[in-house]
Structures are given as structure tokens and as C-alpha cells.
Amino acid sequence: MQKTFTEFSTNAILKLGDEELLNPYRTPKKPELYTFVRTQGFSAKIVVDSVPYTIAPNSIITLTTVQYFQYVSGHDLVVYQFNREFYCIKDHDHEVSCAGLLFFGNVHMPIIELNAKEHQKLNMLNDIFLEEFETKDTIQAEMLRMLMARFIIIATRLLKAKEGFTETTSNTKIDLLREFNMLVEAHFKTEHSVSFYAEKLFKSPKTLSNTFAKLNTSPLQIIHERIVLEAKRLLIYTDKTAKEIAYDLGFEDASHLSRLFKKQTSFSPTDFKKINIKAS
């Protein structure tokens, strides 16, 4: 089952379907569309950035256009895919507050487990989606965008709860983390220091460190994890050498990336590439 909405004036695309939508990803590649996958009564197996995952029944995963994704198996899935022309995460962030949490080049892929009530609520929302796909009128596009926004808001709330962002966690701290994540995503290839991001956020590096410590992370850790993640992607999925990758990631001296990579993974970039080539 597959439903596709296209808006020719804007090149907007929204797809709704089941596991058939994921068949093009039987071999690893970057999704061209932002993707939600929701399991129902069965688990699913996928690989993201060379890491295998088994997604439990009644769960949601989110995939961005920068991750390498491989679909291995799954049954009775619900899949939503859309491009930025249909729904721009950044432009609509004031509505859904998901940028920097659900969608960025993150190391830790969001997996949201649903209880029975939440699962039922999303099934009802999916039924409304299907009805709207069949309603061909002048406001169909706007209705579908509203439904997508509602789905994203629900997923974001559930992820915040899962990550420990309880009602006692101030929105200021969460928003600062989201803004920092988005800045890192935009600049990690050229800017590696906490001071650069602190200046952009009109905060001191110490303020960032103290705030993030309460969220069990640190600004430098986020920067380093994002750099190493991109290095892993390039090592596994491209033919670039470790030296070329270092330059791509803003290191004038390849040994600097090598030291950071080994500290994070216990392997040199070259050894990591060899191991993963053998494994594949």
C-alpha cells in the first residue's frame, strides 16, 4: 500500500505506505526524504550508519537525509516520507519544536516506544491521513501538512519524555540543547571549538558546559561525536582516504582527526575502514 501526494507548484512530496516504501533501501543509501517508520505488531530490523538495530513492536524511528539507511526486514509497518518542500523542519520549528531532537545528524538515533494508548492514537491519526489523501480539493495540501505537524508534535513530546526531559526540565535548557545541536549540524565541518558555538548562542562556554552537564552531556562531546560520526560514514560508504576525510572535516593535519577518532572508537580511521570492509 502506498499513497503519494505531490504539489507541482512547490515540488512538495509526501508519501504514506507500508514496508514497500522501504524496498529501495535494501542496500545502504541516504534517504532522499525525511522518514518516519512505525512498527506495529511486529519488530523490524534495519541498519543505520553501519549499526544494526532491531526495532521493537509499537515503536517509532526517525531518519534524516544525511544518514545511511538499510532496510533488512519488517512487516505491517507504517511509513511516512516527505521532503523539505512539503514540510520544512527548520521553518516550522516554532510550531513543533523538533529540530535538534528528532531531526539532525545525531549519533543516537531516536527510537520512541509507544504504549497501547499512544499506539491507538497514532492509528487513528493514520486513518485521518488516509482519508485526506482521498480528498482532492484546494486545501488538501494544508490539511496534510497539519496532520504531519500533529504527528511530529506527538513524536517530539514522547521523545522528550523518553530522554528524561520531564516537566521539571526547563524549556530554556531543552531549547538551548536543540539550538546547539542545529548549529553543530551546520558548522561541524569547519568549527570544532565550543567557543564558536557559545558566541553564536550569546552564551559563555562555561554556561553551556554547566547547562549540558545537567542533561548528561557536554558541548565538546556533542561536537566530537558529530565529527566522528561523519568520519565513520565517509570511511564506510565512500572511497575517500583517511587523509581526504580529515581535510573534508576541517582538519589541516590528518593526525588530529586520527587522535580524536581513536579516542572515541579505539581504532584509527584506517583500521576502522579495514574492519568494516571485511565485515561487509
Side-chain angles (χ1 to χ4, degrees), residues 95-162:
E95 300 171 358
V96 297
S97 301
C98 70
L101 284 177
L102 282 179
F103 293 105
F104 68 110
N106 43 325
V107 177
H108 309 292
M109 186 184 69
I111 302 176
I112 306 165
E113 296 180 359
L114 307 171
N115 61 33
K117 184 178 179 180
E118 293 158 351
H119 179 68
Q120 182 181 15
K121 179 190 293 185
L122 290 178
N123 277 343
M124 293 171 62
L125 182 60
N126 191 63
D127 288 341
I128 300 172
F129 257 116
L130 290 171
E131 287 180 11
E132 198 57 46
F133 265 95
E134 302 303 320
T135 305
K136 311 294 184 182
D137 59 22
T138 57
I139 63 169
Q140 183 188 29
E142 190 58 32
M143 288 295 293
L144 288 171
R145 286 189 178 92
M146 288 173 59
L147 292 171
M148 194 74 256
R150 184 175 177 183
F151 182 93
I152 292 172
I153 289 169
I154 292 171
T156 302
R157 286 174 175 169
L158 293 172
L159 179 62
K160 285 181 179 179
K162 172 183 168 61

Side-chain angles (χ1 to χ4, degrees), residues 28-218:
K29 65 177 182 177
K30 292 181 179 180
E32 296 178 354
L33 305 172
Y34 292 100
T35 301
F36 284 103
V37 179
R38 179 163 68 91
T39 57
Q40 299 196 85
F42 304 88
S43 62
K45 292 185 178 181
I46 62 173
V47 179
V48 179
D49 292 328
S50 80
V51 178
Y53 295 89
T54 298
I55 311 302
N58 299 331
S59 300
I60 301 171
I61 62 165
T62 66
L63 299 165
T64 72
T65 57
V66 300
Q67 295 166 306
Y68 282 85
F69 168 63
Q70 180 181 7
Y71 167 59
V72 179
S73 64
H75 180 63
D76 198 25
L77 304 179
V78 178
V79 180
Y80 301 100
Q81 293 186 305
F82 59 93
N83 60 4
R84 70 180 308 277
E85 287 79 11
F86 176 79
Y87 196 92
C88 180
I89 299 301
K90 186 174 181 181
D91 290 350
H92 289 273
D93 188 58
H94 64 285
E95 300 171 358
V96 297
S97 301
C98 70
L101 284 177
L102 282 179
F103 293 105
F104 68 110
N106 43 325
V107 177
H108 309 292
M109 186 184 69
I111 302 176
I112 306 165
E113 296 180 359
L114 307 171
N115 61 33
K117 184 178 179 180
E118 293 158 351
H119 179 68
Q120 182 181 15
K121 179 190 293 185
L122 290 178
N123 277 343
M124 293 171 62
L125 182 60
N126 191 63
D127 288 341
I128 300 172
F129 257 116
L130 290 171
E131 287 180 11
E132 198 57 46
F133 265 95
E134 302 303 320
T135 305
K136 311 294 184 182
D137 59 22
T138 57
I139 63 169
Q140 183 188 29
E142 190 58 32
M143 288 295 293
L144 288 171
R145 286 189 178 92
M146 288 173 59
L147 292 171
M148 194 74 256
R150 184 175 177 183
F151 182 93
I152 292 172
I153 289 169
I154 292 171
T156 302
R157 286 174 175 169
L158 293 172
L159 179 62
K160 285 181 179 179
K162 172 183 168 61
E163 295 294 330
F165 298 149
T166 62
E167 292 182 2
T168 59
T169 306
S170 73
N171 287 330
T172 302
K173 291 177 186 176
I174 298 173
D175 288 341
L176 184 61
L177 176 63
R178 296 194 310 112
E179 290 178 43
F180 185 83
N181 283 337
M182 288 188 286
L183 280 173
V184 170
E185 185 62 26
H187 299 286
F188 74 91
K189 292 183 180 179
T190 56
E191 302 294 343
H192 303 162
S193 68
V194 174
S195 59
F196 169 84
Y197 299 98
E199 184 178 345
K200 288 283 188 183
L201 293 167
F202 303 102
K203 303 288 184 183
S204 70
K206 185 176 181 180
T207 297
L208 288 183
S209 295
N210 290 341
T211 301
F212 288 7
K214 296 172 184 176
L215 300 173
N216 300 315
T217 186
S218 76

Side-chain angles (χ1 to χ4, degrees), residues 26-28 47 49-52 70 232-239 271-280:
R26 289 292 185 178
T27 55
V47 179
D49 292 328
S50 80
V51 178
Q70 180 181 7
K232 287 180 177 179
R233 288 171 176 162
L234 294 171
L235 287 165
I236 294 171
Y237 298 110
T238 76
D239 294 327
D271 289 341
F272 180 84
K273 188 177 184 75
K274 289 178 181 176
I275 291 168
N276 280 276
I277 288 174
K278 289 179 180 178
S280 60

